[in-house]
Amino acid sequence: MELIVSLVGVPCLAALLMLAVRCDKARNVLAVASVAAIGLLSVVFAVRYLGESPVYFVLPESTAGVLGIVNFLIEIAVGAFILAYAIRYKRMLALGLALVQLVMAVWIEVSVLAGHEFSTQMRVDQLSVIMALIIGIVGSGICVYALGYMKDFQEHHPEQKDRRPWFFALMFAFLAAMFNIVFSDNMAWIYTAWEVTTLCSFLLIGFTKTDEAINNAFRQIVMNMLGGVAFQVAIAFAALNGLPLVFSEFLMAGAMSAGTAAAALFAVPVVLLAFAGMTKAAQMPFHTWLLGAMVAPTPTSALLHSSTMVKAGVFLLIKLSPLFLVFPIASGMVVIVGGLTFLFCSFLAISQSNAKRVLAYSTIANLGLITACAGVGTPEAIWAAIFLVVFHAVAKSLLFLCVGTAEHHIGSRNIEDMDELFERMPRLARFMMLGIMTMFIAPFGMLVSKWATLVSFATTGQVLLLVLLAFGSAATFMFWGKWLGKLAGIAAHRESEEVTVNKTEWSAIILMAVLVVACCVGMPFISSAFVEPYLAGVYGMAPLAIGFDNMAIMAIIVAFIVVVLFGTLGKAKKKVVPVYMAGITVDSSKRVFKGALGGEREATSRNWYLEGIFGEKRLDKPATIVTAAVLVVCLVASIFAGGTLGSVSLPMYLQTASLNESVFSTLIGIVVFLVVGPVLGCLLAGLDRIISARMQGRVGPPLLQPYYDVRKLIAKDDVSVNTVEGTYITMALIFTLIAGGVFFGGGNFLMCVFLVTLSALFFILAAYSSRSPYAEIGADREILQVMSYEPMILFVAVGMLLTMGTFDVAGLFHGSAPMIVAAWPIFIGLLFVLTIKLRKSPFDLSYSHHAHQELVKGVTTEMSGRTLAKVEVMHWCENVLFMAWVAMFFVWSNPASIALAVVVAAAVYFLEIWIDNNFARVKWQSCLKWAWIVSLVAGLVNILGLVLYIIFA
């Protein structure tokens, strides 16, 4: 109990002292000392309660009574403060909601809770421990960052009164309130801390007191007060109907009410609490308050997005998750709103060039995915949700801190202005790249958590969520990939601007980067020490959504990428040559050249933002209307039909089989593929050339011509347009080989897919790094093509699970029938997008494989010599792997099926060559549209059919 009191008390004391400190040095000492104490206490707390069953703390009646009075006074003070601000700025809606909350608070305290005794006041479980570490380390680390940032902020805004004492007091008060939320077991105490975070957020967003800041602050408080009122009504409803007001008892009693008359009483408060959680988590239609928070100084944004405020919302939803298995209306509301928020905000992020708005939309999207997982309510889904919370906290805090520092030193938060950041601020650029990779690509934890999410959705037959996840994840690759490409540019040689970055900023950024790597590498430990014990305590079982060996493989790859990123990237010694400009180069770093008429011209390029498809004007209003309608319908239904639907069970709950996912088998597969892949790929490339020549009425080259071409490339001078291009291509080749090793070693097909995507990312970064106009256009197209085919590939993986009961390729040889029997629509969809993967017309827009496509080679324009040789070998290996994906649909327990699979793969390869030679390229709009239409139709129809068959068979 002393540790809990200390964790709440230290930030409270720090907040009070901050109000009195005006000297920078004294403030720095006090803040660093407070942060060190909070961080140390958090670690000690985690060690103390590591792996323990839930621990309850019962306070003496006299102490509990005094604290209850203090809690009520804080609640009244918060309401009065909001009321005063609403009157001052004449905000009638905020005024009305504040009055409602004050009246409700007094009524609940005086009438509803009169004489009510709480058996427990505080509770600690493993989820509380995880949240305490996030708040105590990530949250307090942001406070350290704020010391240097706010000093620079004040210097950049001398016209504003120095209100930093208030700023830091609010930051520490925020931490104290969050600790109260995660430790309190008294619903009234949770509510008060809940509203304190709302007030702190309001004051921090409006910190600069500009009109925009005030408007956005009031938007936040109005939306969150709606959730606050719902929370109050839930408490009052529970108390008036004799339901427990101790949160842990409420959860237990609600879960046990299934099939009883009491279920009708629990339905309303469960829906209201879920509604409160979604408003705090900025789910649509309440997402605009978090977007408006971007007007605040960067430490505020980082704190709100990573370790506080929005995390309180998803924390509540995760705690409620067992009840979502009992109450379908609440579950449906949370699942649908969360899923749609993930999809729409992922789309909306594509259209943003402001880095902080990209971070905001991605935050809301990921919170939507966490919300959807909580709504599903199964142990596997909650396993994924908790890891999404962890990795989002560390990665998003790192990104916000990096963007804030970059903004102060380059004068902009626009992604387009981050060109050449790798040279201007090399360390910061690497940290930012690490943060971005963590957010969207395997083997980093966020994507591994999405992997677990997909597993949980597939095993429970959540068809709608599977579709939303597939397309939302594809959009995620688009907006993160192009930002990462901007950071990769390394053509300039400007003087580093990092020398003026404050030491407190560096210390916080380095802390977040270390946490990112530690969480990714230590994911197996986090799972076994924290997440699985929590699931065992809540559900009586602790399923592992992803096998230990798979997590170990991912951890090894993370360590490898980090070593390359911070140890070797940019240190290659090559002869650097200018980029191709379609003329005489005048200044390569500025991309100035002499054109055909002799005049000097500058080649410029800009990322694709696709405003016409994914812009806010097009998507925001429909998304808001749809999600608002879902909320209204579910809230009304909970009142009138909650009791009649109080006893449900999952219509489908599959157990996934794990057959061959060991590190050893993967190593054997890599060795085999390293030898066989390039040989078979070279022969396939030679056949491609011969068949294409015959189709065009020419005499084809020898079968081994691709081999001779690669030998010539290796013999050329080793030149490049920069010092990183070759490293990126080497990484792309390595991950292709590992992907092939996973597949042919009989490992997890999803891991194979993610590694292929990782390889594609490094291939794209190589093109972006050149800062060549043609290569950048090719890279843009390549990103769009990954976004086009990614949903279909994920549907293939889901189809494998639903037909074979496993993601493991080895499982195909245990089936009584081949996949094609039950998954032929998915197979057709795979064939459709295969033209992109094999770089064939009509959908290959980024890399011209043959002269009949285009003269300038797009993504490989600047590659030559050994680098281009690696690209060719990589494509050979990819072709073999993708043909193996085709063949796996025709393999089953009969050994003769292997011959059939090889014949079908050969026929498909011939078909793709024929298509390539008989169809002209289409526009990128057609590529995206038709790939997504085919994926949606084939994937949705097939998966829905498989789910229905499993349920009713």
Side-chain angles (χ1 to χ4, degrees):
M1 188 64 186
E2 292 79 7
L3 283 173
I4 294 177
V5 172
S6 299
L7 282 171
V8 176
V10 170
C12 281
L13 179 61
L16 292 174
L17 293 175
M18 280 294 176
L19 289 173
V21 175
R22 301 286 171 174
C23 172
D24 283 351
K25 289 185 178 180
R27 181 187 300 115
N28 291 353
V29 171
L30 175 59
V32 171
S34 300
V35 164
I38 295 169
L40 180 61
L41 286 168
S42 301
V43 173
V44 172
F45 177 83
V47 173
R48 167 64 182 82
Y49 294 104
L50 180 64
E52 281 200 14
S53 301
V55 180
Y56 300 86
F57 298 95
V58 180
L59 298 177
E61 186 176 344
S62 58
T63 304
V66 172
L67 290 178
I69 295 171
V70 172
N71 181 77
F72 174 65
L73 293 176
I74 293 173
E75 186 178 344
I76 295 299
V78 169
F81 208 97
I82 297 171
L83 188 64
Y85 263 87
I87 294 172
R88 177 180 175 184
Y89 289 97
K90 300 179 181 178
R91 304 299 174 112
M92 294 300 103
L93 185 54
L95 175 65
L97 287 171
L99 286 172
V100 170
Q101 284 193 312
L102 281 170
V103 172
M104 287 281 293
V106 174
W107 174 60
I108 291 173
E109 182 68 23
V110 174
S111 179
V112 177
L113 298 183
H116 192 96
E117 295 183 2
F118 291 89
S119 58
T120 66
Q121 301 290 347
M122 293 289 180
R123 181 179 187 272
V124 174
D125 57 24
Q126 295 307 301
L127 182 59
S128 304
V129 174
I130 292 172
M131 291 297 296
L133 288 171
I134 291 174
I135 299 163
I137 299 178
V138 177
S140 59
I142 293 169
C143 294
V144 172
Y145 173 87
L147 293 170
Y149 182 93
M150 292 306 294
K151 181 179 180 181
D152 291 342
F153 181 88
Q154 196 62 44
E155 291 174 356
H156 293 164
H157 301 85
E159 75 283 357
Q160 292 191 7
K161 180 182 177 181
D162 188 355
R163 300 174 57 246
R164 282 180 289 170
W166 267 103
F167 182 88
F168 285 98
L170 289 169
M171 295 278 281
F172 282 104
F174 223 136
L175 300 183
M178 282 298 299
F179 280 125
N180 253 317
I181 289 174
V182 301
F183 294 144
S184 293
D185 205 22
N186 179 328
M187 289 175 70
W189 290 13
I190 296 173
Y191 167 74
T192 299
W194 186 271
E195 288 306 289
V196 169
T197 63
T198 298
L199 176 61
C200 289
S201 176
F202 168 75
L203 296 173
L204 285 169
I205 294 171
F207 176 77
T208 59
K209 293 189 177 294
T210 63
D211 290 342
E212 182 183 12
I214 295 298
N215 289 335
N216 291 350
F218 272 104
R219 181 187 297 119
Q220 179 275 143
I221 208 160
V222 164
M223 290 185 174
N224 278 283
M225 279 197 296
L226 289 173
V229 170
F231 206 128
Q232 284 182 309
V233 174
I235 293 174
F237 187 96
L240 292 173
N241 288 279
L243 304 181
L245 292 181
V246 174
F247 195 39
S248 58
E249 294 178 5
F250 176 85
L251 297 174
M252 188 179 301
M256 295 176 64
S257 70
T260 69
L265 299 177
F266 279 95
V268 172
V270 168
V271 168
L272 290 173
L273 289 172
F275 176 83
M278 288 192 290
T279 57
K280 187 74 76 175
Q283 296 299 279
M284 285 186 161
F286 306 110
H287 62 294
T288 53
W289 80 255
L290 194 58
L291 293 171
M294 295 301 98
V295 72
T298 293
T300 297
S301 303
L303 197 66
L304 295 182
H305 287 242
S306 62
S307 59
T308 63
M309 194 63 174
V310 295
K311 290 299 187 294
V314 292
F315 170 78
L316 177 61
L317 292 171
I318 291 173
K319 296 289 283 187
L320 289 169
S321 57
L323 301 187
F324 295 139
L325 292 173
V326 179
F327 301 100
I329 294 176
S331 174
M333 179 179 74
V334 174
V335 164
I336 295 173
V337 171
L340 290 176
T341 299
F342 172 69
L343 179 70
F344 281 118
C345 287
S346 296
F347 286 165
L348 288 164
I350 294 174
S351 65
Q352 304 302 310
S353 60
N354 183 313
K356 288 187 74 173
R357 286 186 74 83
V358 173
L359 294 178
Y361 271 121
S362 69
T363 292
I364 300 167
N366 282 291
L367 292 170
L369 193 56
I370 298 169
T371 298
C373 287
V376 171
T378 62
E380 293 86 353
I382 303 309
W383 189 96
I386 293 173
F387 271 109
L388 286 170
V389 168
V390 171
F391 287 109
H392 181 267
V394 294
K396 193 54 66 72
S397 60
L398 174 61
L399 283 171
F400 266 108
L401 302 192
C402 287
V403 169
T405 297
E407 180 184 1
H408 270 179
H409 289 80
I410 67 175
S412 173
R413 62 177 65 163
N414 194 303
I415 293 173
E416 295 299 322
D417 296 328
M418 293 182 186
D419 214 2
E420 304 175 8
L421 194 68
F422 197 94
E423 287 291 338
R424 298 161 68 182
M425 305 185 77
R427 279 199 299 169
L428 187 73
R430 284 177 169 87
F431 285 126
M432 199 179 295
M433 292 171 73
L434 174 64
I436 290 175
M437 287 182 182
T438 304
M439 286 301 301
F440 84 111
I441 198 74
F444 293 95
M446 199 72 184
L447 197 279
V448 178
S449 302
K450 288 184 179 179
W451 173 356
T453 302
L454 186 142
V455 173
S456 69
F457 291 171
T459 54
T460 53
Q462 302 284 345
V463 179
L464 174 63
L465 288 181
L466 285 170
V467 172
L468 298 179
L469 177 63
F471 287 95
S473 295
T476 299
F477 189 92
M478 178 75 178
F479 67 77
W480 284 126
K482 63 185 181 182
W483 186 356
L484 193 60
K486 274 292 177 184
L487 298 175
I490 192 173
H493 299 283
R494 298 185 182 182
E495 184 178 351
S496 174
E497 299 178 22
E498 290 184 338
V499 292
T500 58
V501 176
N502 195 289
K503 290 182 179 180
T504 58
E505 294 181 52
W506 275 130
S507 62
I509 290 172
I510 292 171
L511 171 65
M512 301 308 167
V514 170
L515 289 175
V516 165
V517 177
C519 288
C520 291
V521 174
M523 190 173 185
F525 169 76
I526 296 172
S527 178
S528 61
F530 296 101
V531 182
E532 292 170 48
Y534 174 74
L535 295 175
V538 174
Y539 294 95
M541 58 183 295
L544 194 60
I546 300 174
F548 180 86
D549 283 331
N550 280 335
M551 286 193 285
I553 293 171
M554 292 294 192
I556 293 169
I557 297 174
V558 166
F560 172 63
I561 292 175
V562 171
V563 169
V564 172
L565 186 61
F566 290 93
T568 65
L569 192 62
K571 296 183 179 181
K573 295 181 180 179
K574 288 186 176 184
K575 180 182 178 182
V576 177
V577 296
V579 298
Y580 175 67
M581 294 286 193
I584 301 173
T585 301
V586 176
D587 189 329
S588 179
S589 64
K590 296 181 179 179
R591 297 197 281 194
V592 176
F593 67 99
K594 285 187 177 181
L597 300 179
E600 292 186 1
R601 305 189 64 177
E602 180 180 358
T604 60
S605 65
R606 185 175 181 268
N607 271 332
W608 281 1
Y609 294 100
L610 310 182
E611 292 94 339
I613 301 176
F614 301 115
E616 290 175 319
K617 293 181 179 178
R618 189 178 185 90
L619 292 182
D620 188 75
K621 188 174 181 179
T624 300
I625 293 172
V626 170
T627 50
V630 171
L631 287 175
V632 171
V633 169
C634 291
L635 287 171
V636 173
S638 69
I639 297 173
F640 294 102
T644 62
L645 295 173
S647 179
V648 297
S649 60
L650 285 171
M652 171 181 157
Y653 190 64
L654 292 178
Q655 292 292 330
T656 58
S658 179
L659 301 173
N660 195 24
E661 298 181 354
S662 69
V663 177
F664 181 71
S665 64
T666 300
L667 290 175
I668 294 176
I670 291 172
V671 172
V672 172
F673 190 66
L674 180 62
V675 175
V676 176
V679 174
L680 289 180
C682 177
L683 295 176
L684 285 176
L687 283 172
D688 186 346
R689 294 192 186 187
I690 293 172
I691 295 172
S692 294
R694 298 296 170 83
M695 287 181 177
Q696 296 167 15
R698 299 184 289 108
V699 177
L703 179 64
L704 294 180
Q705 187 61 46
Y707 164 73
Y708 298 125
D709 291 343
V710 167
R711 281 186 56 185
K712 292 176 186 177
L713 289 172
I714 294 173
K716 286 186 175 183
D717 290 340
D718 194 17
V719 299
S720 178
V721 296
N722 58 44
T723 58
V724 299
E725 177 189 77
T727 302
Y728 286 136
I729 292 300
T730 301
M731 298 282 280
L733 175 57
I734 289 172
F735 292 127
T736 298
L737 293 172
I738 297 175
V742 170
F743 186 90
F744 288 98
N748 192 289
F749 179 71
L750 262 179
M751 180 186 283
C752 175
V753 170
F754 293 146
L755 288 171
V756 167
T757 305
L758 180 63
S759 173
L761 175 67
F762 278 100
F763 183 45
I764 291 166
L765 289 182
Y768 274 127
S769 71
S770 67
R771 296 193 69 249
S772 159
Y774 300 104
E776 286 190 3
I777 291 173
D780 287 339
R781 291 175 175 178
E782 188 79 12
I783 283 182
L784 183 133
Q785 293 191 162
V786 173
M787 185 172 71
S788 299
Y789 69 69
E790 191 77 6
M792 192 64 247
I793 304 301
L794 291 180
F795 290 149
V796 171
V798 174
M800 174 187 283
L801 175 66
L802 295 179
T803 55
M804 312 305 296
T806 180
F807 286 114
D808 293 342
V809 177
L812 297 171
F813 295 92
H814 296 278
S816 58
M819 274 179 61
I820 190 67
V821 174
W824 60 266
I826 287 178
F827 179 72
I828 293 174
L830 174 63
L831 294 186
F832 189 84
V833 301
L834 201 60
T835 57
I836 301 173
K837 298 298 297 175
L838 294 175
R839 307 192 179 281
K840 306 292 185 183
S841 291
F843 295 136
D844 173 40
L845 310 174
S846 63
Y847 176 85
S848 96
H849 191 63
H850 298 296
H852 68 267
Q853 291 176 330
E854 63 185 4
L855 296 179
V856 178
K857 294 197 71 173
V859 72
T860 58
T861 299
E862 304 301 336
M863 299 176 191
S864 63
R866 296 176 186 174
T867 300
L868 192 55
K870 293 175 188 175
V871 171
E872 292 300 316
V873 174
M874 181 182 73
H875 290 163
W876 293 351
C877 295
E878 284 180 338
N879 288 349
V880 174
L881 181 57
F882 300 149
M883 288 301 99
W885 288 4
V886 172
M888 74 179 182
F889 278 83
F890 297 87
V891 172
W892 73 98
S893 57
N894 189 335
S897 64
I898 297 176
L900 173 63
V902 171
V903 170
V904 173
V908 168
Y909 193 70
F910 177 83
L911 175 64
E912 291 293 342
I913 295 172
W914 180 83
I915 292 173
D916 185 38
N917 284 275
N918 287 277
F919 290 87
R921 280 188 174 186
V922 298
K923 295 180 179 179
W924 65 264
Q925 292 93 335
S926 297
C927 176
L928 179 62
K929 178 178 70 175
W930 287 109
W932 274 17
I933 288 175
V934 171
S935 298
L936 179 62
V937 173
L940 180 60
V941 169
N942 204 163
I943 292 172
L944 181 60
L946 289 170
V947 167
L948 293 175
Y949 176 79
I950 292 171
I951 293 173
F952 295 108

